């Protein structure tokens, strides 16, 4: 979108903190959002993108057991 191009013009980097909160609904926010951000960055001449997430930081009782007991312990140092 043109508004992103103008917002990015003259910047050294873009920080993306896109997120959907605790929603479990299917979404294309990340893929479409990243696509729009990268296209606008190219047009604005910005070449650095930093992406952050808080995914995995909050314990949710509906989180599948595989993630809670296998994946999350493997990633504990990444989130530390």
């Amino acid at each position: 979108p043109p508004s992103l191009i103008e917002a990015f013009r003259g910047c050294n980097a873009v920080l993306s903190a896109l997120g959907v909160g605790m929603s479990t609904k299917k979404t294309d926010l990340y893929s479409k959002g990243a696509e729009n951000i990268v296209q606008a960055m190219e047009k604005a001449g910005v070449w650095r993108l930093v992406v952050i997430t808080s995914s995995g930081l909050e314990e949710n009782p509906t989180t599948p057991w595989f993630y809670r007991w296998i994946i999350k312990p493997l990633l504990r140092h990444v989130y530390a």
Side-chain angles (χ1 to χ4, degrees):
S3 60
L4 286 180
I5 298 168
E6 289 305 312
F8 295 166
R9 195 157 281 149
C11 293
N12 293 318
V14 171
L15 171 67
S16 173
L18 295 175
V20 294
M22 297 298 289
S23 175
T24 57
K25 294 180 182 175
K26 186 176 179 180
T27 182
D28 64 356
L29 174 75
Y30 301 106
S31 56
K32 293 293 184 185
E35 181 180 357
N36 288 332
I37 289 169
V38 169
Q39 287 176 358
M41 286 174 62
E42 289 173 347
K43 291 177 181 169
V46 181
W47 306 110
R48 291 183 185 97
L49 174 62
V50 178
V51 180
I52 62 171
T53 182
S54 63
S55 177
L57 293 179
E58 187 171 325
E59 191 64 42
N60 182 338
T62 63
T63 302
W65 70 269
F66 183 79
Y67 180 81
R68 282 195 322 258
W69 297 103
I70 307 292
I71 302 299
K72 191 170 181 183
L74 291 173
L75 298 175
R76 73 176 178 266
H77 297 294
V78 174
Y79 292 125

